[in-house]
Amino acid sequence: MTAPSRLTPAGACLADRRQFLGGAAAGLSSIALASLLQDEHLLAAPPQVDWQRPHAARAPHFPAAAKNVLVIFCAGACSQLETYDYKPELIQRDDQPLAGGPAVTFQGPSGNLAKPRYAFRPRGESGKMVSDLIPHLGGLVDDIAFVHSLTSKSNTHGPAENFLSTGFVLDGFPSIGAWVGYALGTENQDLPAFVAIPDPRGVPQASVNNWGPGFLPAVFQGTAFNSSQPIRNLRPPESIGSASDHAARRLLQQFNQEHLERQGGDSSLAARIASYELAARMQLSAPQISDLSREPQHLLTQYGADSKNETKAAFAKNCILARRLIESGVRFVQLFNGAYASGGRLNWDGHQKLREQYDVHGEILDQPAAALFNDLKQRGLLDETLVVWCTEFGRMPMFQKGAQGRDHNPQGFTAWLGGAGVKRGVSYGATDELGFKAVENVLSVHDLNATILHLLGLSHTELTYRHNGVDRRLTDVHGHVIEPILG
């Protein structure tokens, strides 16, 4: 009679030679696969954050072309047809109906095709056609790469801004600047890793979603301020002297450290303490960075900061602030041109009187933004800074019926990139002959965001954060790097 086995069912399987060899082979294959995925930057590898120093600089996944990013975000959906996407056929077919086109678009019935409201002319040595709306920005064409075939998932401003800034149309997801701060930290420990600079006319439609942390730890959210609205509550009350303030902070730091040690180094508590300590350091650094009085007069004039147009002057000062932040090592700067939905009065949402409204917005944007790019270039900062110009979607080639403006169009629009790691004087992708739909090398916002991360040395598939049981990432499950525009 055979003695009963003392092995568990799992142990019996291990004792079986065939089962053992099969399991070993599978295990070795898994190790090999993991190695290959790691080599190709396809294996999730969340950053190792020291929660007592969450803003400390961290290494990228691979050598980076850029150290910093500046995003110039034109809120309200700036028309590609009045700026960078030259369509001679649209000029030829002005005031004709679009055969087979949509009878109704986002806001109502469609009218006839409408030529650009501004003349286009060749710019730079490349001869790139750019409109007279933005002649100063047109002068940059030999230094930047255009992407003419972007598409969005939404034709509504708020969700489309969400999509551009977070990779999702819904609320609650981290902004790209928060992702970058989480991945890389910053080299300047006296300023935030991520700063958002709202337009002097107000915040964009999606407001703080554009610079929010979503489900990432709150320590990675953007800090919002501009040249006319400095960071609030930064200074102690006048009744508290400098010596008392410093003594209180030293005592508080000691209490915080003792409390953190008693809690076993809890990461959330450590991050909260680090945020307070950064705020304390910013009492000195932030006012200095916002003080533009030391800028020479010729530079203020170059940017248009002395313009009689008060909004243009305020935006120009925001552009100078953006340069100073980049110069000081802030990792990600998001500069907004245009505010919330207002019938096109405060942003680029030109539904009714496009030419009249764009005359206003073009003057505010053009000289200051071009001066910012050229200033970065002259200071050698473009060698390590990526500059991105973008908007949430484009506009239709036809006017709205009974109006002199264009409706929302997420099917084809333009962005451009310049600076570190980007080819100069090139264009990629195209919309059709009327500028209606992307038809050549069609791209998504996910591809644009994947490219931004890539230039920072980050794989968009590796940069993850586990939330509700899912390894989330900026590009969801999509996105490809736009390799042809990379230098």
Side-chain angles (χ1 to χ4, degrees):
M1 184 174 178
T2 306
S5 173
R6 296 182 180 179
L7 295 175
T8 64
C13 288
L14 289 172
D16 183 278
R17 184 175 65 174
R18 183 173 297 175
Q19 294 263 7
F20 172 77
L21 292 175
L28 291 172
S29 299
S30 298
I31 294 171
L33 175 61
S35 178
L36 289 171
L37 290 173
Q38 182 65 41
D39 291 342
E40 295 295 323
H41 305 291
L42 297 174
L43 193 63
Q48 298 301 307
V49 179
D50 176 359
W51 293 108
Q52 295 193 50
R53 298 176 63 246
H55 295 295
R58 290 178 281 280
H61 296 139
F62 46 85
K67 291 173 60 178
N68 313 300
V69 176
L70 166 65
V71 174
I72 304 172
F73 191 144
C74 283
C78 181
S79 171
Q80 77 281 10
L81 299 170
E82 267 68 38
T83 50
Y84 299 114
D85 202 2
Y86 177 56
K87 296 298 175 183
E89 184 68 16
L90 183 60
I91 299 173
Q92 294 295 320
R93 294 171 60 180
D94 182 47
D95 204 29
Q96 298 178 17
L98 176 59
V104 176
T105 53
F106 178 70
Q107 285 204 352
S110 297
N112 288 341
L113 293 169
K115 67 181 181 181
R117 300 297 96 178
Y118 302 88
F120 277 68
R121 64 189 73 250
R123 315 279 175 168
E125 294 183 7
S126 65
K128 176 73 174 179
M129 299 292 283
V130 177
S131 93
D132 286 345
L133 171 66
I134 45 172
H136 292 90
L137 287 169
L140 306 180
V141 295
D142 291 336
D143 285 315
I144 59 183
F146 288 93
V147 175
H148 286 302
S149 53
L150 280 178
T151 61
S152 178
K153 287 185 176 181
S154 177
N155 63 356
T156 305
H157 292 293
E161 285 184 8
N162 281 352
F163 186 46
L164 187 60
S165 288
T166 75
F168 294 82
V169 296
L170 300 176
D171 294 351
F173 289 86
S175 58
I176 182 172
W179 277 111
V180 170
Y182 164 61
L184 298 175
T186 182
E187 294 180 354
N188 188 329
Q189 297 301 298
D190 295 331
L191 290 168
F194 174 23
V195 172
I197 306 177
D199 186 271
R201 293 163 285 187
V203 298
Q205 186 69 18
S207 187
V208 297
N209 288 357
N210 288 289
W211 55 86
F215 47 72
L216 290 178
V219 71
F220 298 118
Q221 68 185 332
T223 300
F225 65 99
N226 61 23
S227 60
S228 58
Q229 294 180 322
I231 302 173
R232 298 177 180 178
N233 305 316
L234 205 57
R235 297 183 180 277
E238 294 182 1
S239 59
I240 299 177
S242 176
S244 297
D245 183 45
H246 284 281
R249 273 195 271 150
R250 285 195 300 271
L251 182 61
L252 180 61
Q253 185 177 30
Q254 180 181 336
F255 287 161
N256 283 339
Q257 188 60 38
E258 292 174 356
H259 181 52
L260 181 63
E261 291 172 358
R262 287 196 300 271
Q263 299 304 314
D266 177 73
S267 61
S268 297
L269 176 60
R272 194 177 306 121
I273 292 171
S275 294
Y276 287 130
E277 291 178 347
L278 173 60
R281 294 194 299 273
M282 285 170 59
Q283 287 185 342
L284 296 175
S285 59
Q288 292 177 358
I289 207 77
S290 301
D291 181 9
L292 306 185
S293 63
R294 303 178 191 176
E295 296 290 333
Q297 181 59 45
H298 73 87
L299 199 70
L300 297 175
T301 301
Q302 178 181 319
Y303 275 83
D306 56 358
S307 172
K308 293 180 180 179
N309 181 330
E310 293 182 1
T311 306
K312 176 183 175 180
F315 178 69
K317 291 174 183 176
N318 284 354
C319 289
I320 298 173
L321 174 61
R323 187 264 295 164
R324 291 168 70 98
L325 290 166
I326 292 291
E327 199 171 29
S328 298
V330 173
R331 184 74 70 182
F332 200 99
V333 177
Q334 195 175 29
L335 172 67
F336 288 92
N337 176 259
Y340 45 84
S342 52
R345 185 173 56 86
L346 301 176
N347 66 13
W348 293 90
D349 195 21
H351 285 280
Q352 298 297 322
K353 300 177 181 179
L354 185 145
R355 174 64 195 248
E356 180 181 318
Q357 293 168 336
Y358 274 32
D359 282 349
V360 173
H361 303 319
E363 182 186 356
I364 294 167
L365 168 72
D366 185 40
Q367 180 186 352
L372 170 57
F373 188 94
N374 286 324
D375 198 8
L376 292 171
K377 181 180 178 181
Q378 291 166 6
R379 294 170 188 266
L381 293 170
L382 277 186
D383 295 339
E384 55 187 29
T385 303
L386 170 66
V387 180
V388 181
W389 180 92
C390 59
T391 194
E392 65 262 38
F393 45 71
R395 317 298 298 196
M396 291 289 182
M398 71 287 286
F399 272 176
Q400 294 175 235
K401 190 171 183 178
Q404 293 291 307
R406 306 184 190 276
D407 209 345
H408 302 176
N409 181 12
Q411 300 179 83
F413 60 105
T414 295
W416 59 254
L417 301 86
V422 179
K423 286 182 180 177
R424 298 179 178 182
V426 300
S427 295
Y428 182 76
T431 52
D432 60 31
E433 60 186 6
L434 299 174
F436 184 20
K437 295 182 180 180
V439 295
E440 180 184 314
N441 298 316
V442 180
L443 299 168
S444 166
V445 165
H446 291 306
D447 302 314
L448 177 65
N449 285 339
T451 304
I452 294 171
L453 293 182
H454 177 84
L455 288 166
L456 287 167
L458 299 170
S459 165
H460 70 103
T461 59
E462 278 191 82
L463 180 57
T464 64
Y465 188 86
R466 195 158 188 83
H467 175 66
N468 286 344
V470 178
D471 287 330
R472 290 290 192 182
R473 68 189 210 207
L474 172 66
T475 54
D476 196 10
V477 295
H478 311 285
H480 297 88
V481 176
I482 312 172
E483 297 281 356
I485 69 169
L486 304 185

